[in-house]
Amino acid sequence: MKKLFVILFIGFNLYSYGQNKISGTILNTKNEPLIGVEVYIEKLKKGTSTNELGYFELKNVPNATLKVTAHYIGYKTQVKTVSFTKPDIELNFLLKEMAYQMDEVVISTPFNKLQSENAIKVVSLKLNEIENGGSTNLTEAISSIPGIDMIAKGTGVAKPVIRGLSGTNVLMLNNGIKMENFQFSENHPFIVDEFGVDHIEVIKGPASLLYGSDAVGGVINVIRERPALENEITGDFNTQYHSNTDGITLNAGVKGNSNQINWGIRTGYKSHADYEDGNGNYIPNTRFQEKSLKANIGLRKSFGIFNLYYDFNRPQLGMSVGNVKTLEKSRNLDFWYQDLTSHLISSRNTLFFNDYKFDVNLSYQLNNRKLQTDNNTPAFEMVDMDLNTFAYEVKTHFPSTEKTEYIIGLQGSNKTNRNNEAPNHVIPDTDVNDISVFGLLQHSFAEKLKTQVGLRYDYRIISSEKETNKPAIDNDYGNISGSIGATYPLTDDFLVRANLASAYRTPNIAELTQNGYHGARFEIGNPDLDTQRSYEGDLSFHYHSKYIMLDVSGFYNRINDYIYIAPTGENLDNGDIIYQYSQTDSKLYGGELIVNITPIEWLNINTTYSYLIGKEDSGNYLPYIPHNKFRFDVKLQKEKIGLLHSPYFKIGGLLAQDQDNPSIYETETDGYFLINAGVGTELKIGKEMVNISIQANNILNETYIDHLSTLKGMNYNNIGRNIVATIKIPISVK
């Protein structure tokens, strides 16, 4: 393999292309130059900005067909495609004013189109929204998106829910890499944080066509921060304090970019004590802490782009379970906590060959999960498991025309779970092998109607060793996923999007084999589980004008053989309830509404509503279906007031309706109403713009329990008032 790589590397160097240049000017509709417009080529991870004349220049560009994006706050984003017929290309932009930034370039779809050109709707959450939202973890920040919720065990352990589906129905990507870290349980969070993130993209609904089995509910893609602009070295230092948990968050990073090489490094730290509810009672053992390190290096050559990334995360998460009684609020982790370690090494590369592009991506994940329990309780023993995953992906982008683009790809992975010396094996030693092929076509009819169709075949082999209380598994699964969708602008301001998709999910090893205590619950797997199949239709309408934006989405998701865990009605000798995995035909349906109004330049009013019903064919309701929720925010922001740059004040609220449709294994949950507020600004200190903000969540200190809280059974309330102070200091080194 090493020799082959060297031969290919030398071969591509011998077949090198001339270096090209793209330059031009960017003006507004009054023919005035725009200063500081970001000009970026996503495929190359390469960008610059315009000078005082609106001029930009990108050198050392490979001889390939590329998409160049011009982005400027307050203006509509534009994307232009360039193909080199000569070494120097002049590319000019005329940007139109636009209050709403809905038309960003989407990274999570293969063609990197603007949002308005995608048949699959993708919702984006930007870094400043995450930083200024006052969340204690990344999943909590994502749950501000309509249709997204979280199953949480306090403030440290949280799993995303997309339109009622969670666990291995939802895929989490870290910079395009599928996360593999024992995500089969609501108590096992995805090991990824918000440090060094540019933005997050969410696909709601079946996305198995793009990412394979386990994406029947949707995909959350955490997009890494962009490299520094050419010939720059920049850095930043960020700190945050949470009043409720005495929480401290720190992260700092530096990155640089020359003509051919870009690099970056970032480190982070979190530490939170037990949180307090609205009554002032602390919730025992909800403390947590985390350390992280990220590094990357990239090389741009005329024949290709090569990037190497490393991510390290070490979260230690307190587990609030019924038999844990701590005497005082603390951040010390002594017992009943998860000790998790994650290493992710990935190589993401693009090779150019005339009008063809080849994406060649490799990754290796090393995950260790330990559970330190109460040693005085013989029924529970420490857990110590390793999960190692090697994954590969090759995608071929064929020569495209103005109307047609198409891709074929090959993906695969090998996962090995091994138990170490700890006696408690939650799941047995297991090997999982995946391989898949797929194709995707996007075509425009009559310029306006953009269609997308794709087909995928996946094959999976699961094999595990027999244990005293667990059967051996030797199963193989093969199935097809497909989707077809279209977008059509009825007018320049009114867009219609529709999509039909069918995806499937194989049962995971925990669902097939478990037979014993998992955390504080006794769980039994089912080796006879069938493949779960989803059929979903989505329809959305988007309208925007100078003063208003309206977005309405509806969906219906039919799931055959839906896999879930529920009480059996039987008990162990000690009285503990026995839970077992089962299947049933089910359906989930609902939608989301977004209304954004800007009646005057400095005032913005945003409201959202999400509605969801999940039912079995028998008429019973499904478990873990969130409250229907209404959110509103009113934000006042000026460009400048005295020494304050972009100062803002916002106030908003969350109204969760009564969840009076519980499953037969749940109880009803009362609704609740939370009020939040925030203030922030930028201050120019020297040459840098320092960002300062204060966010107050649950200002009225409401006492409530969310329906998806796994602490509900112990009558532990959710977090009370939390005031979060954030300071972000940028540093320009060169």
Side-chain angles (χ1 to χ4, degrees), residues 165-403:
L165 295 176
S166 59
T168 47
N169 290 299
V170 172
L171 207 60
M172 177 76 83
L173 305 177
N174 182 0
N175 199 34
I177 304 299
K178 178 181 176 181
M179 299 301 297
E180 294 287 359
N181 41 239
F182 306 106
Q183 61 266 34
F184 56 82
S185 168
E186 66 268 16
N187 292 330
H188 301 171
F190 290 105
I191 307 177
V192 60
D193 59 43
E194 65 274 22
F195 302 147
V197 170
D198 182 80
H199 67 284
I200 296 172
E201 294 180 350
V202 178
I203 300 175
K204 293 183 281 190
S208 292
L209 176 66
L210 305 175
Y211 300 106
S213 178
D214 300 349
V216 297
V219 171
I220 299 169
N221 194 1
V222 181
I223 310 295
R224 189 183 285 264
E225 63 183 319
R226 290 177 172 179
L229 298 180
E230 281 198 339
N231 301 313
E232 288 190 5
I233 299 176
T234 62
D236 60 83
F237 173 78
N238 310 276
T239 182
Q240 196 173 74
Y241 174 74
H242 294 251
S243 65
N244 187 289
T245 60
D246 293 326
I248 300 170
T249 299
L250 303 169
N251 85 89
V254 63
K255 57 185 179 180
N257 196 341
S258 68
N259 287 333
Q260 291 190 338
I261 297 176
N262 67 82
W263 54 270
I265 187 168
R266 181 172 294 276
T267 184
Y269 175 74
K270 293 181 181 180
S271 178
H272 290 260
D274 302 322
Y275 76 84
E276 296 182 15
D277 67 12
N279 292 323
N281 300 317
Y282 76 90
I283 310 304
N285 216 39
T286 53
R287 60 200 72 171
F288 69 96
Q289 60 188 28
E290 182 173 7
K291 301 172 185 176
S292 69
L293 174 69
K294 295 179 173 68
N296 70 279
I297 187 168
L299 174 66
R300 292 188 300 271
K301 300 293 288 184
S302 57
F303 55 84
I305 311 300
F306 308 91
N307 290 283
L308 184 65
Y309 301 93
Y310 170 69
D311 289 56
F312 166 78
N313 286 81
R314 176 78 185 279
Q316 293 176 304
L317 311 170
M319 302 294 290
S320 188
V321 293
N323 60 333
V324 173
K325 303 296 182 184
T326 53
L327 299 178
E328 59 183 11
K329 181 176 180 177
S330 173
R331 66 179 73 242
N332 296 327
L333 291 155
D334 300 316
F335 51 84
W336 268 110
Y337 68 90
Q338 297 184 63
D339 189 353
L340 311 176
T341 304
S342 173
H343 300 272
L344 170 59
I345 304 169
S346 61
S347 175
R348 301 185 65 79
N349 315 288
T350 300
L351 303 174
F352 303 107
F353 191 88
N354 293 329
D355 289 333
Y356 290 84
K357 291 196 293 284
F358 301 92
D359 292 332
V360 182
N361 304 319
L362 305 171
S363 67
Y364 188 66
Q365 297 178 63
L366 301 90
N367 287 278
N368 175 260
R369 178 178 182 266
K370 295 178 181 177
L371 178 64
Q372 175 64 54
T373 64
D374 183 353
N375 294 326
N376 295 323
T377 308
F380 303 110
E381 302 285 355
M382 183 181 289
V383 173
D384 187 356
M385 298 188 294
D386 290 323
L387 177 63
N388 298 333
T389 305
F390 171 72
Y392 57 89
E393 176 185 59
V394 179
K395 292 189 293 188
T396 302
H397 300 251
F398 288 85
S400 60
T401 66
E402 205 170 301
K403 292 185 176 182

Side-chain angles (χ1 to χ4, degrees), residues 452-692:
Q452 182 175 294
V453 62
L455 197 64
R456 179 188 183 98
Y457 179 77
D458 288 89
Y459 183 71
R460 169 173 289 179
I461 300 174
I462 302 177
S463 59
S464 70
E465 294 185 4
K466 177 179 173 58
E467 294 191 356
T468 303
N469 61 340
K470 296 180 176 67
I473 298 294
D474 188 11
N475 295 349
D476 61 274
Y477 306 87
N479 224 316
I480 292 175
S481 302
S483 73
I484 182 170
T487 60
Y488 185 78
L490 296 173
T491 68
D492 290 341
D493 303 325
F494 191 17
L495 177 72
V496 179
R497 179 186 284 108
N499 191 68
L500 295 173
S502 179
Y504 81 99
R505 177 176 80 83
T506 64
N508 60 54
I509 192 63
E511 294 165 339
L512 293 169
T513 66
Q514 275 190 330
N515 187 14
Y517 277 99
H518 180 210
R521 191 168 71 184
F522 193 92
E523 299 179 353
I524 298 178
N526 184 348
D528 298 322
L529 292 174
D530 293 325
T531 297
Q532 176 182 296
R533 168 64 70 174
S534 172
Y535 302 90
E536 181 168 325
D538 290 84
L539 181 64
S540 66
F541 301 90
H542 176 90
Y543 170 80
H544 66 266
S545 66
K546 185 177 181 180
Y547 303 107
I548 187 170
M549 186 273 285
L550 175 67
D551 196 283
V552 183
S553 303
F555 72 95
Y556 184 92
N557 188 3
R558 170 70 185 181
I559 305 179
N560 294 337
D561 295 315
Y562 175 68
I563 301 172
Y564 66 100
I565 189 169
T568 62
E570 299 179 359
N571 299 74
L572 298 173
D573 292 340
N574 63 4
D576 287 349
I577 299 172
I578 298 174
Y579 289 74
Q580 185 169 25
Y581 287 98
S582 304
Q583 288 188 298
T584 184
D585 293 340
S586 305
K587 53 185 173 290
L588 297 105
Y589 56 90
E592 297 89 37
L593 169 68
I594 303 174
V595 181
N596 196 307
I597 303 172
T598 306
I600 47 181
E601 183 181 356
W602 49 268
L603 174 64
N604 179 260
I605 304 168
N606 186 65
T607 60
T608 68
Y609 181 67
S610 53
Y611 174 82
L612 176 66
I613 294 292
K615 299 181 74 173
E616 302 176 17
D617 282 3
S618 64
N620 295 324
Y621 289 97
L622 292 175
Y624 287 129
I625 299 299
H627 301 263
N628 295 324
K629 292 179 178 177
F630 171 79
R631 296 177 185 266
F632 73 92
D633 286 287
V634 178
K635 186 175 183 180
L636 294 82
Q637 184 167 11
K638 297 286 287 185
E639 185 175 340
K640 190 176 181 182
I641 300 177
L643 298 176
L644 307 180
H645 296 259
S646 301
Y648 71 86
F649 169 77
K650 63 179 181 179
I651 187 166
L654 165 62
L655 174 63
Q657 296 178 305
D658 293 344
Q659 172 46 293
D660 49 12
N661 295 321
S663 77
I664 59 175
Y665 311 109
E666 298 175 326
T667 58
E668 296 184 2
T669 306
D670 292 336
Y672 55 89
F673 178 61
L674 308 179
I675 295 180
N676 311 310
V679 61
T681 189
E682 292 181 342
L683 289 173
K684 190 171 185 180
I685 301 177
K687 296 181 179 180
E688 309 297 348
M689 298 296 292
V690 177
N691 187 296
I692 302 172

Side-chain angles (χ1 to χ4, degrees), residues 54-120:
Y55 177 78
F56 72 92
E57 192 174 272
L58 287 166
K59 296 181 179 179
N60 301 318
V61 180
N63 190 13
T65 300
L66 299 166
K67 294 175 183 177
V68 183
T69 302
H71 173 77
Y72 197 54
I73 294 176
Y75 289 80
K76 185 176 181 179
T77 300
Q78 280 191 31
V79 177
K80 292 190 176 184
T81 302
V82 296
S83 296
F84 289 95
T85 55
K86 55 182 181 179
D88 294 344
I89 296 290
E90 181 178 349
L91 191 66
N92 300 315
F93 292 85
L94 189 68
L95 300 187
K96 298 179 181 179
E97 290 190 59
M98 179 66 64
Y100 306 104
Q101 297 294 319
M102 60 81 64
D103 225 6
E104 303 293 341
V105 174
V106 175
I107 310 301
S108 300
T109 54
F111 300 110
N112 295 155
K113 296 279 190 179
L114 289 170
Q115 176 64 269
S116 60
E117 300 174 331
N118 272 300
I120 299 174

